[in-house]
Amino acid sequence: MDLKEKLVTSFLAFENKGGLDLDSNVHSIRSKAIQNFEKEGFPTKKDEEWKYTSLNSLLKHDFSLFPETKKAVGFKNVKEFLINDIESYTLIFIDGVFSSFLSDTTHDDCDVCVLSSALTRPKYKMVVDNYFNTIAKDNNSLSDLNTAFAKEGAFINIPKNTIVPKPIQILNFSTGSESEVMIQPRNLVVVGENSHVQIIERHQNLSKNTVLTNAVTEIFVHKRAIVDYYKIQNDTETSSLIDSTFVSQKQQSVASVHTYSFGGKLTRNNLEFYHEGEHITSNLNGISILNNKQHVDNHTLVNHKHPNCESHELYKGIYADKSTGVFNGKVIVQQEAQKTNAFQQNNNILMDDGASINAKPQLEIFADDVKCSHGCTIGQLDDSALFYMQSRGIPKKEAKALLLFAFGNDVVEKIKIPQLKTRITKLIAKNLGVELGFEF
Amino acid sequence: MLSIKNLHASINDKEILKGINLEIKAGEVHAIMGPNGSGKSTLSSVIAGKEEYEVTEGSVVLNNEDLEDLAPEERAHKGIFLSFQYPIEIPGVTVTNFIKTAINETRKAKGLDELPAKDMLKLIREKADLLEIDRKFLSRSLNEGFSGGEKKRNEIFQMAMLEPQLAILDETDSGLDIDALKVVANGVNKLKNKDNAVLVITHYQRLLDYIVPDYVHVLYNGKIVKSGGKELALELEEKGYDWLK
Ligand SMILES: Nc1ncnc2c1ncn2[C@@H]1O[C@H](COP(=O)(O)OP(=O)(O)OP(=O)(O)O)[C@@H](O)[C@H]1O
Ligand SMILES: [Mg+2]
């Protein structure tokens, strides 16, 4: 049985066993989603959006779909993956199951809790009906697949006029309880008018076993609200991640999504912004640093539908060994979206002959009074700069790292949580195999 | 201190240095002059260890150690400093961070601990003052958007920080206005002592009024065709190079 068949046939059992309310709206959303998935199947390289990323070898694995955790996971096992030196709310999932023991949730001024309770409790019915799967719907077969099995993940519901006092960390761990595991976290984030929240998300495999994560996050940003969402992708070489993030923004809101891809066998990011009002700002920042045979694919979309909005996109990539990257940045400026400011920049450095990047900026502009720009570069480290630095006593390896740090610095600079910035800087240094005597 | 014997070097199979002999002793100042394209910068790059150049014959020996197999950074750790004719722009790395890294890597190579931040700051300030460099300058990206003169002054600032044993100044005077030339020359002279040496490459006598050489050499078509005292520079200024061909 191939993976698609296996997923489709286990759907009924999943719904029956899951203690899920079969009369609910959610049930019909799930049923439609699995039908869509059954019809579309997994994307192949024939699909224009998947031209440079193949799921073929990944789909050959015999994934266990509902893994059971066998080993107890304690705080000491997960500590190093948290940003520890800040106060935060934490939502920790082990093999797709919420760990209340390790987590720190709240219902005080806002809801920082789990999707399973949101989907089943009458209290949250309105929120679910209004938001759940409204942007992810009919987007692509992998999101449909996630929707069909959507059961657990983060549910963050911020009422209006609320500044969430500390960042929220969402961590998804897999323990490798079975040799090949597929997990499908589903997050729903609703941020009310004038509210502000910072979220840090990470997927981490604690074992050497194969893990495929197919995650979907929907983020709703109301009037004048501010959302900063940080994604740390630094998983093991047996872990693959398909991460779809959909952001819907109301007028005058500011949403920033930062994606740090430092590791994983295959990482595919679908990041999409939809505008539902004027004077919206969307920021997309990304930095990928890969080696060995790792692969990252960043597909982004900003859909400018209304006048006077802006988007700023900055993606950098450093590819060593035989690693490969894809950048596909689509910006649509619809006819009504006059006075749009849309900027996109994608810069890449190839460290070795075996590394490659496919970069494709796609600007589709239908309005005439707009400011749009895009730039894309692919280069190597400058030998004369390296010699210059070496001649001042800086060894080649450190010289390279310094140049690469400088290259990625404008992305790192955008991190608004200082402790996170320090952590990301350290992760970058670790990836480049150096210790730096100062902070950028 | 530095002993160059029958040095031949080529790039892309084109021979540029065609048998250079040069002895520099501690405490001395040497000047190399010579027409454009004669190989002056090539010689300095070869001494500093630029890998693109292939040494086909001869040797460069520093304090009785053949430098052939040493990487540029190892040569720097042993006390060689090259002030570039065209300093490279390093966007995103500030002057301060760059020099800190250079100092600490050099210390590390010598088995010393990193210089404490306080001492580093003090040293940076002292040397910046010596070269009359504005503090604000130090937090700018290295050489990025610097004027020609600013770049050169910054090279000498780095030299002052690193206190090399052998400083090679490749056309450090070009791009400097008269006042800056004095400041830079004064900086070099302050660092000069009986244990170190300077090799100045220049086209003009005027730098040599300030940094007075013990010896002047003329490099022509990859060879040193004439050596003399400081009066040779005056003679060259007057007569050009034609008479040496
Ligand atoms: N990468 C290279 N490939 C081919 N020829 C080169 C290369 N680099 C230098 N050369 C040649 O080597 C010769 C010497 O160059 P070099 O820069 O050493 O001259 P120079 O004496 O410093 O000149 P200037 O006074 O103009 O600074 C020149 O003819 C130059 O064109
Ligand atoms: Mg030259």
Side-chain angles (χ1 to χ4, degrees):
Chain A
M1 198 169 17
D2 72 4
L3 184 59
K4 181 184 162 188
E5 256 178 86
K6 186 170 175 176
L7 283 157
V8 172
T9 52
S10 55
F11 177 70
L12 272 184
F14 161 75
E15 275 225 307
N16 288 326
K17 189 175 69 180
L20 307 165
D21 180 0
L22 297 187
D23 300 326
S24 73
N25 194 7
V26 177
H27 165 68
S28 69
I29 291 174
R30 280 202 190 96
S31 306
K32 272 200 204 94
I34 196 72
Q35 280 165 24
N36 275 351
F37 173 72
E38 191 172 4
K39 202 167 81 205
E40 303 284 331
F42 286 104
T44 67
K45 281 193 143 187
K46 288 198 196 98
D47 186 334
E48 189 59 32
E49 302 297 320
W50 288 82
K51 213 166 157 184
Y52 302 106
T53 299
S54 170
L55 294 176
N56 273 350
S57 67
L58 204 53
L59 300 181
K60 289 200 186 97
H61 290 277
D62 185 22
F63 290 110
S64 154
L65 303 179
F66 311 107
E68 274 172 34
T69 310
K70 295 187 182 111
K71 273 192 309 229
V73 175
F75 186 66
K76 67 175 191 324
N77 305 103
V78 302
K79 200 173 95 188
E80 65 175 298
F81 303 106
L82 283 150
I83 310 299
N84 244 328
D85 40 8
I86 45 170
E87 291 270 302
S88 67
Y89 297 115
T90 50
L91 293 168
I92 296 184
F93 302 89
I94 312 285
D95 296 320
V97 176
F98 179 63
S99 166
S100 58
F101 169 64
L102 293 172
S103 301
D104 182 3
T105 61
T106 186
H107 289 291
D108 292 347
D109 300 322
C110 55
D111 298 303
V112 177
C113 59
V114 291
L115 188 73
S116 54
S117 68
L119 291 181
T120 46
R121 283 199 205 156
K123 185 177 159 196
Y124 297 116
K125 189 172 184 311
M126 279 286 283
V127 184
V128 169
D129 287 352
N130 282 339
Y131 299 103
F132 179 70
N133 205 43
T134 54
I135 359 177
K137 192 173 76 180
D138 298 332
N139 189 286
N140 67 70
S141 66
L142 286 157
S143 311
D144 285 333
L145 177 62
N146 177 287
T147 302
F149 291 93
K151 183 181 172 192
E152 197 54 294
F155 175 61
I156 296 168
N157 184 29
I158 318 288
K160 60 182 173 188
N161 304 324
T162 306
I163 294 181
V164 182
K166 43 192 186 181
I168 300 165
Q169 302 196 56
I170 307 170
L171 290 105
N172 294 283
F173 293 101
S174 42
T175 61
S177 56
E178 263 131 306
S179 68
E180 303 181 328
V181 167
M182 179 171 180
I183 48 177
Q184 305 203 66
R186 175 69 172 236
N187 304 319
L188 178 60
V189 179
V190 182
V191 186
E193 282 178 32
N194 302 318
S195 292
H196 181 192
V197 64
Q198 297 178 311
I199 299 168
I200 304 167
E201 173 201 277
R202 185 164 184 166
H203 302 273
Q204 189 66 44
N205 183 354
L206 299 172
S207 76
K208 290 195 168 62
N209 292 343
T210 300
V211 173
L212 170 60
T213 302
N214 178 37
V216 171
T217 302
E218 290 178 292
I219 305 169
F220 297 85
V221 192
H222 284 276
K223 274 190 228 170
R224 294 178 298 273
I226 303 173
V227 175
D228 296 305
Y229 204 109
Y230 301 92
K231 290 169 177 285
I232 306 177
Q233 302 173 341
N234 187 35
D235 217 340
T236 65
E237 299 232 353
T238 55
S239 310
S240 295
L241 171 67
I242 299 160
D243 186 48
S244 301
T245 305
F246 305 104
V247 186
S248 170
Q249 290 184 256
K250 291 270 164 61
Q251 68 188 66
Q252 289 170 285
S253 65
V254 181
S256 311
V257 176
H258 312 251
T259 307
Y260 309 103
S261 307
F262 300 149
K265 183 181 167 60
L266 179 154
T267 306
R268 163 69 181 235
N269 291 305
N270 297 319
L271 175 59
E272 306 190 350
F273 286 76
Y274 296 93
H275 289 181
E276 306 294 343
E278 294 193 30
H279 301 285
I280 287 168
T281 304
S282 305
N283 299 312
L284 301 78
N285 299 305
I287 179 159
S288 306
I289 305 179
L290 297 191
N291 60 7
N292 296 337
K293 287 171 109 177
Q294 299 179 121
H295 177 82
V296 66
D297 179 343
N298 280 303
H299 262 68
T300 64
L301 167 71
V302 183
N303 192 341
H304 286 276
K305 209 164 91 182
H306 299 278
N308 300 309
C309 294
E310 37 187 287
S311 61
H312 301 268
E313 178 163 19
L314 176 61
Y315 270 74
K316 303 245 175 157
I318 299 169
Y319 302 93
D321 303 329
K322 291 190 167 147
S323 62
T324 48
V326 179
F327 174 77
N328 191 304
K330 195 171 186 173
V331 177
I332 302 173
V333 181
Q334 300 193 16
Q335 205 170 351
E336 312 84 89
Q338 299 296 354
K339 307 271 184 210
T340 291
N341 278 340
F343 301 102
Q344 182 187 82
Q345 198 184 317
N346 172 232
N347 307 105
N348 303 285
I349 292 184
L350 300 178
M351 302 287 291
D352 296 290
D353 289 345
S356 70
I357 166 84
N358 278 294
K360 186 176 169 195
Q362 267 181 292
L363 271 60
E364 297 176 8
I365 300 167
F366 302 102
D368 43 30
D369 185 14
V370 298
K371 264 197 241 157
C372 294
S373 72
H374 72 95
C376 176
T377 61
I378 300 172
Q380 279 147 332
L381 279 187
D382 179 3
D383 280 336
S384 57
L386 285 176
F387 172 60
Y388 181 75
M389 299 171 90
Q390 285 177 275
S391 81
R392 301 290 142 94
I394 302 173
K396 197 166 194 169
K397 192 172 160 199
E398 277 71 19
K400 278 187 181 177
L402 208 55
L403 289 178
L404 293 175
F405 254 100
F407 170 77
N409 194 38
D410 44 356
V411 180
V412 178
E413 272 305 312
K414 298 207 159 46
I415 303 176
K416 295 193 192 98
I417 305 170
Q419 294 88 342
L420 179 65
K421 192 160 149 189
T422 307
R423 173 66 76 95
I424 293 293
T425 307
K426 281 189 182 149
L427 282 176
I428 293 176
K430 202 171 153 207
N431 258 271
L432 300 175
V434 293
E435 277 179 38
L436 287 178
F438 56 85
E439 275 176 24
F440 264 87
Chain B
M1 172 195 291
L2 185 78
S3 166
I4 299 175
K5 291 213 170 76
N6 190 31
L7 183 67
H8 291 251
S10 37
I11 187 158
N12 303 330
D13 290 327
K14 183 182 160 200
E15 185 165 69
I16 314 259
L17 303 183
K18 302 172 179 170
I20 292 198
N21 293 292
L22 183 65
E23 289 285 335
I24 300 178
K25 294 198 180 66
E28 293 178 349
V29 175
H30 288 241
I32 293 185
M33 304 181 83
N36 295 133
S38 56
K40 302 180 297 297
S41 294
T42 303
L43 176 62
S44 24
S45 296
V46 170
I47 299 173
K50 191 167 183 174
E51 278 145 22
E52 282 83 346
Y53 294 97
E54 191 192 351
V55 174
T56 51
E57 244 187 285
S59 62
V60 180
V61 173
L62 180 76
N63 299 326
N64 300 320
E65 182 181 8
D66 194 325
L67 298 182
E68 189 171 346
D69 296 328
L70 299 187
E73 63 269 26
E74 294 171 303
R75 299 180 191 215
H77 300 156
K78 294 198 184 298
I80 289 181
F81 178 90
L82 169 59
S83 169
F84 279 50
Q85 182 175 359
Y86 305 107
I88 313 288
E89 303 197 356
I90 315 278
V93 181
T94 63
V95 176
T96 306
N97 279 341
F98 183 77
I99 197 66
K100 273 186 195 168
T101 309
I103 295 268
N104 281 330
E105 289 295 343
T106 302
R107 290 178 66 93
K108 211 197 283 177
K110 290 180 179 161
L112 299 170
D113 284 339
E114 287 194 354
L115 197 63
K118 204 173 81 217
D119 300 352
M120 181 74 81
L121 196 66
K122 192 165 156 262
L123 191 65
I124 289 176
R125 292 201 165 151
E126 191 185 304
K127 303 297 184 184
D129 289 349
L130 173 68
L131 287 150
E132 298 179 17
I133 290 175
D134 193 331
R135 302 268 163 85
K136 276 190 278 208
F137 214 78
L138 302 172
S139 47
R140 280 178 61 181
S141 280
L142 185 60
N143 293 328
E144 194 183 30
F146 287 18
S147 75
E150 288 167 344
K151 284 182 183 168
K152 296 303 173 71
R153 194 188 287 237
N154 196 262
E155 291 288 277
I156 302 307
F157 163 71
Q158 293 183 44
M159 170 189 154
M161 289 291 296
L162 290 161
E163 298 191 346
Q165 206 186 2
L166 174 70
I168 305 165
L169 312 183
D170 190 358
E171 295 199 25
T172 300
D173 52 340
S174 64
L176 291 179
D177 64 44
I178 295 289
D179 294 335
L181 185 72
K182 282 186 201 158
V183 172
V184 163
N186 176 46
V188 173
N189 288 330
K190 280 252 166 66
L191 295 161
K192 190 74 213 52
N193 62 39
K194 63 177 182 14
D195 297 319
N196 58 24
V198 183
L199 177 60
V200 191
I201 294 168
T202 182
H203 286 293
Y204 305 106
Q205 163 62 31
R206 70 172 192 175
L207 175 68
L208 303 180
D209 287 339
Y210 300 103
I211 305 174
V212 183
D214 301 298
Y215 300 95
V216 175
H217 311 276
V218 180
L219 188 63
Y220 188 85
N221 195 15
K223 277 188 185 154
I224 289 178
V225 293
K226 192 168 179 61
S227 296
K230 61 173 186 271
E231 62 293 340
L232 179 56
L234 290 166
E235 201 176 347
L236 290 169
E237 184 119 297
E238 202 178 308
K239 299 200 217 162
Y241 296 108
D242 269 356
W243 61 285
L244 289 165
K245 278 182 187 169

